[in-house]
Amino acid sequence: MSSYGGVIISDQWLQSQFTQVELRSLISKFNSVKNQNGKVMAEDLPPLMVKLKAFRDMYSEEDIRGTLSGLGSNFSDEIDFESFLKAYLNLQGQTTAKLGGSKNSSSFLKATTTTLLHTISESEKASYVAHINSYLGDDPFLKQYLPLDPATNDLFNLAKDGVLLCKLINVAVPGTIDERAINTKRVLNPWERNENHTLCLNSAKAIGCTVVNIGTQDLIEGRPHLVLGLISQIIKIQLLADLNLKKTPQLVELVEDSNDVEELLSLPPEKVLLKWMNFHLQKAGYKKPVSNFSSDVKDGEAYAYLLNVLAPEYCNPATLDAKLNERAKLVLDHAERMNCKRYLSPKDILEGSSNLNLAFVAQIFHERNGLTTDSKKISFAEMMTDDVQTSREERCFRLWINSLGIATYVNNVFEDVRNGWILLEVLDKVSPGSVKWKQASKPPIKMPFRKVENCNQVVKIGKQLKFSLVNVAGNDIVQGNKKLILAFLWQLMRFNILQLLRNLRSHSQGKEMTDADILNWANNKVKSTGRTSRMESFKDKSLSNGIFFLELLSAVEPRVVNWNLVTKGESAEEKKLNATYIVSVARKLGCSIFLLPEDIMEVNQKMLLTLTASIMFWSLQQAVDDTERSPSPVDVSPATSINGEDESSSSLGGEISNLSIDDTASDTTVTSQFENEGSTASTPSTPVGDGIRAEEKGCIAVQ
């Protein structure tokens, strides 16, 4: 498929300093200042670099000009892309020094992030290898490669084909990937490897991983810190999967009365785990509350109290009196007798390894949570869970919002949007410049009227975007009116879809894109292959068998569907097989989607619209990629952001203009919709989660 490939630099050291996503973004910036002769002059660099987010608030054009002069640049000379990268690195090094070290740097190229200086935690690597050996050791395909040796690079080498990462995602959230869509054989060609990693990254986003600044090429190369960061997120999701009232209704014991259940529902899993730990520590007489999985557990005392109250039969009276190192060993001996896996060593406890301590406590919770079964409380918790946690629309909107790369991570849509801040962040993404940040209040917000002000601005912007908001006020959002919140988010998502697809059309002259345009495109695409299937609308009941969408996927990329795996879709089981296959094939193609197989089987018209639009967006993007692919040694692929600046984002992608709706290629430029250079600087920067936030090129991330 045309989406495969990377930006290739002849200087291997220079290439190692950047991820593929970063290179794609920078080369897009570089190409944007070429003159009529296709050349970039050194004099073009200062005005270009001053616009980059890494340097925007740090330097003036004159500062950058002076720096480049000091490097011996002659501003009348032509400059190539590699020279531009070297200048970028030099300027970035000065930025890091100016800010007093990498800790305060706003750029991705911190001192400890480059390949030569980056270090990975060998303890984490060993723990994750043990986890993989344990959970995937019996896998029919992987057992020929397992167990892995943590002392070698076996983990990173095996991850290069993508099979391991896809299988690990299915361990974390069973059924996420239809394994029939994974390319599994001993030797994969470049296309097959790329497909596996595309499927992996889009599926990782679909289970809640934050994936920014990583591309399929980075995984194919097996870059250790990126691979390990992604694996750590996947394992964390697996270990924390039961820390909610739906899976473990006994957690309701952590709150004193039913009025606090909603607060418990809104907590992220890590906070629930801390709340559970403190609940038992308080019962055990431990006086100091534990607020993190690092400094608060380094002395081992909290662990000793926790294990003693959960499994007193294995208690060693000498634990609390022992010295720190010996106490850590005794704690782990106690845990071992409870059949808990050792995700950490005594050294990891003493050093306060946050990821490994969290994994250790989560394992203890799974083995013995020590909660009682108050039937009255549990029944109430189950009732609350049915109302919130099982809402597929809430799930889709939550994952969609998190895929946009906004600063705030959403754990529960209904609770987290009530102060208005997250909705303002999303609005600023899909309609840059629409939010007046000076009139907004950033959390934590103590005064209720400030929340109402935020939500009033949300409603005002919605009306400006022509949303249907009759008799809707900001206070409705503050009060958590679920029906209105879902209605608003759907209109926001749909606006984003239609807006970007409109921008793909050639000579649209401002004509609005409609649902009918998407419907007609899909029908025409299938018809062009000689097939007779069509859909009358997005609520056409015949769509439940999945055949139309498989034919549509095959129409945009003939080799992506294996028709030997497709059923007739006559029974409920056959429909489920087809629907599951559709979701994985679409992700494998490059679509970042969050709908569930049930949405196809039940013909959920909202979700089917987003699926069709995502396939359409991908198809139109490929025409741009094929037209603009450079024959030079520097192979151009549309970019995802560098320093948060998307050039062709998979989260409702890059905005592509001047492309006709029938896939006719034309001279177009991939630009950013989500990370518009002109957007306000008042919005907060996106935090890095677990050492990695990745976003892979693909389709519209509306799901």
Side-chain angles (χ1 to χ4, degrees):
M1 294 183 325
S2 59
S3 60
Y4 176 74
V7 180
I8 308 302
I9 307 299
S10 60
D11 185 333
Q12 292 301 307
W13 178 87
L14 187 59
Q15 175 145 3
S16 73
Q17 306 307 296
F18 303 88
T19 68
Q20 278 296 314
V21 168
E22 294 155 356
L23 285 172
R24 291 169 187 162
S25 184
L26 283 174
I27 199 169
S28 179
K29 295 287 186 186
F30 181 77
N31 289 338
S32 69
V33 296
K34 284 184 177 180
N35 58 28
Q36 294 180 345
N37 297 321
K39 297 180 179 180
V40 176
M41 311 303 293
E43 64 183 3
D44 297 321
L45 294 189
L48 169 62
M49 286 187 164
V50 78
K51 294 179 181 178
L52 296 176
K53 189 174 181 180
F55 311 130
R56 186 185 300 154
D57 299 322
M58 298 295 299
Y59 301 101
S60 66
E61 284 190 29
E62 289 305 315
D63 293 333
I64 294 176
R65 186 177 295 274
T67 298
L68 295 178
S69 296
L71 296 174
S73 296
N74 186 333
F75 289 101
S76 62
D77 291 344
E78 179 185 354
I79 190 167
D80 60 19
F81 182 56
E82 292 190 14
S83 298
F84 166 66
L85 293 179
K86 291 174 183 177
Y88 185 97
L89 287 175
N90 276 288
L91 193 60
Q92 179 56 48
Q94 293 190 25
T95 303
T96 300
K98 184 175 181 179
L99 291 171
S102 63
K103 181 178 180 180
N104 297 317
S105 175
S106 62
S107 170
F108 79 98
L109 261 178
K110 303 180 180 69
T112 58
T113 306
T114 62
T115 301
L116 295 185
L117 299 177
H118 186 86
T119 59
I120 62 173
S121 168
E122 290 298 327
S123 292
E124 286 195 33
K125 175 186 169 185
S127 295
Y128 300 153
V129 165
H131 182 97
I132 290 169
N133 288 338
S134 173
Y135 283 94
L136 290 172
D138 295 329
D139 181 85
F141 177 78
L142 291 176
K143 64 182 180 182
Q144 60 185 316
Y145 304 105
L146 301 180
L148 299 173
D149 182 355
T152 68
N153 285 326
D154 286 352
L155 172 62
F156 308 119
N157 291 330
L158 184 57
K160 289 181 179 180
D161 279 348
V163 179
L164 172 68
L165 296 174
C166 288
K167 297 271 190 177
L168 192 60
I169 287 172
N170 267 357
V171 169
V173 183
T176 299
I177 297 175
D178 186 335
E179 296 200 1
R180 296 176 298 171
I182 305 174
N183 299 316
T184 54
K185 56 184 183 181
R186 291 187 66 88
V187 180
L188 299 178
N189 63 43
W191 303 113
E192 292 166 332
R193 284 198 301 270
N194 183 68
E195 285 180 337
N196 280 349
H197 288 303
T198 301
L199 175 60
C200 164
L201 288 174
N202 285 318
S203 299
K205 284 189 287 186
I207 66 172
C209 293
T210 49
V211 286
V212 177
N213 282 343
I214 185 173
T216 56
Q217 189 67 21
D218 298 309
L219 296 180
I220 290 171
E221 293 170 3
R223 297 181 62 133
H225 60 294
L226 298 180
V227 172
L228 202 65
L230 182 56
I231 288 174
S232 71
Q233 290 191 78
I234 296 170
I235 291 178
K236 178 180 176 182
I237 287 171
Q238 177 188 345
L239 294 175
L240 298 178
D242 291 342
L243 280 150
N244 59 71
L245 287 177
K246 175 177 172 58
K247 296 288 187 65
T248 312
Q250 295 93 331
L251 285 167
V252 75
E253 187 181 351
L254 303 183
V255 297
E256 294 183 1
D257 56 62
S258 58
N259 292 329
D260 297 327
V261 173
E262 287 195 24
E263 179 185 351
L264 185 63
L265 283 169
S266 68
L267 291 177
E270 301 96 309
K271 297 294 185 183
V272 175
L273 190 61
L274 281 172
K275 192 174 185 70
W276 168 81
M277 187 175 183
N278 283 309
F279 172 79
H280 285 301
L281 289 177
Q282 188 176 14
K283 289 200 303 184
Y286 189 69
K287 303 299 182 183
K288 296 180 291 185
V290 175
S291 60
N292 59 65
F293 293 107
S294 181
S295 58
D296 286 357
V297 296
K298 289 172 69 172
D299 60 8
E301 280 192 20
Y303 283 149
Y305 276 92
L306 177 65
L307 295 176
N308 286 347
V309 75
L310 292 175
E313 66 272 25
Y314 301 127
C315 174
N316 187 329
T319 302
L320 289 174
D321 296 328
K323 293 183 179 180
L324 291 180
N325 191 56
E326 183 62 25
R327 183 187 301 157
K329 291 180 180 178
L330 291 173
V331 162
L332 294 181
D333 288 341
H334 193 161
E336 189 75 12
R337 289 192 289 273
M338 294 171 58
N339 296 319
C340 289
K341 294 182 182 298
R342 290 193 177 189
Y343 278 97
L344 73 175
S345 66
K347 180 182 178 183
D348 296 320
I349 294 179
L350 298 176
E351 292 181 350
S353 174
S354 180
N355 283 343
L356 296 183
N357 276 297
L358 182 148
F360 178 61
V361 177
Q363 190 67 25
I364 295 172
F365 174 86
H366 283 290
E367 185 62 31
R368 190 175 299 195
N369 61 43
L371 300 174
T372 60
T373 54
D374 184 329
S375 58
K376 185 178 295 186
K377 280 189 173 184
I378 289 175
S379 64
F380 179 77
E382 290 173 339
M383 179 183 69
M384 292 294 297
T385 305
D386 286 340
D387 185 41
V388 179
Q389 292 295 332
T390 61
S391 169
R392 291 212 297 268
E393 286 196 29
E394 186 276 337
R395 171 192 172 275
C396 287
F397 292 136
R398 169 165 40 88
L399 293 171
W400 171 64
I401 292 171
N402 288 332
S403 76
L404 297 177
I406 65 172
T408 310
Y409 190 86
V410 179
N411 291 291
N412 181 290
V413 166
F414 299 126
E415 292 298 319
D416 294 353
V417 304
R418 289 173 61 176
N419 61 24
W421 182 259
I422 286 174
L423 293 176
L424 290 173
E425 289 186 277
V426 175
L427 284 164
D428 193 60
K429 283 288 186 180
V430 304
S431 181
S434 62
V435 178
K436 296 180 179 178
W437 290 106
K438 292 182 179 180
Q439 299 177 13
S441 299
K442 184 177 181 179
I445 304 174
K446 297 181 179 180
M447 304 299 291
F449 75 91
R450 295 294 185 191
K451 299 178 183 179
V452 176
E453 287 179 345
N454 280 355
C455 293
N456 281 339
Q457 186 178 177
V458 167
V459 173
K460 181 179 180 181
I461 296 171
K463 290 179 178 178
Q464 292 171 352
L465 298 178
K466 300 181 180 179
F467 292 178
S468 176
L469 297 170
V470 180
N471 296 326
V472 177
N475 196 51
D476 293 316
I477 299 175
V478 176
Q479 295 299 319
N481 187 315
K482 295 175 184 177
K483 183 178 180 180
L484 292 179
I485 289 172
L486 290 176
F488 183 87
L489 286 172
W490 165 242
Q491 292 184 83
L492 188 56
M493 178 186 290
R494 183 176 174 276
F495 169 82
N496 207 4
I497 301 170
L498 300 180
Q499 177 194 48
L500 290 175
L501 286 176
R502 180 193 63 192
N503 292 332
L504 290 174
R505 300 191 63 170
S506 176
H507 312 300
S508 65
Q509 298 179 348
K511 180 181 180 295
E512 293 296 325
M513 175 72 71
T514 66
D515 298 1
D517 291 324
I518 300 172
L519 180 77
N520 291 334
W521 174 87
N523 282 327
N524 290 336
K525 199 70 181 174
V526 172
K527 184 179 179 180
S528 69
T529 64
R531 299 180 184 272
T532 58
S533 295
R534 62 178 288 107
M535 58 175 168
E536 299 302 324
S537 69
F538 291 108
K539 54 184 178 182
D540 186 336
K541 294 300 181 183
S542 68
L543 297 175
S544 65
N545 63 20
I547 300 298
F548 178 84
F549 291 108
L550 288 166
E551 291 183 348
L552 178 60
L553 287 164
S554 181
V556 300
E557 176 51 69
R559 53 184 220 88
V560 78
V561 176
N562 181 351
W563 287 100
N564 293 326
L565 302 177
V566 177
T567 73
K568 293 181 180 180
E570 294 176 345
S571 66
E573 181 60 29
E574 288 185 345
K575 290 180 179 180
K576 180 66 178 288
L577 286 170
N578 283 354
T580 304
Y581 189 51
I582 288 168
V583 172
S584 290
V585 167
R587 288 178 180 148
K588 179 179 179 178
L589 187 67
C591 303
S592 179
I593 55 175
F594 301 119
L595 82 168
L596 296 171
E598 290 78 7
D599 292 314
I600 298 174
M601 297 170 64
E602 297 171 10
V603 192
N604 183 324
Q605 65 181 94
K606 293 179 181 178
M607 296 304 109
L608 295 189
L609 169 62
T610 61
L611 172 63
T612 310
S614 183
I615 298 170
M616 178 180 177
F617 189 88
W618 183 89
S619 177
L620 297 179
Q621 261 191 325
Q622 301 319 296
V624 175
D625 295 349
D626 292 340
T627 301
E628 295 192 344
R629 186 165 296 279
S630 171
S632 66
V634 179
D635 186 19
V636 185
S637 295
T640 314
S641 73
I642 184 169
N643 308 321
E645 297 165 333
D646 264 0
E647 297 302 334
S648 175
S649 164
S650 64
S651 293
L652 275 167
E655 178 185 10
I656 308 176
S657 58
N658 301 323
L659 179 65
S660 68
I661 201 165
D662 61 357
D663 287 2
T664 303
S666 59
D667 293 332
T668 59
T669 303
V670 179
T671 58
S672 169
Q673 175 66 27
F674 286 148
E675 300 293 348
N676 191 294
E677 288 288 345
S679 61
T680 176
S682 301
T683 51
S685 60
T686 303
V688 175
D690 286 333
I692 175 175
R693 289 179 65 89
E695 184 165 321
E696 177 54 18
K697 176 192 167 199
C699 290
I700 305 177
V702 291
Q703 302 67 340

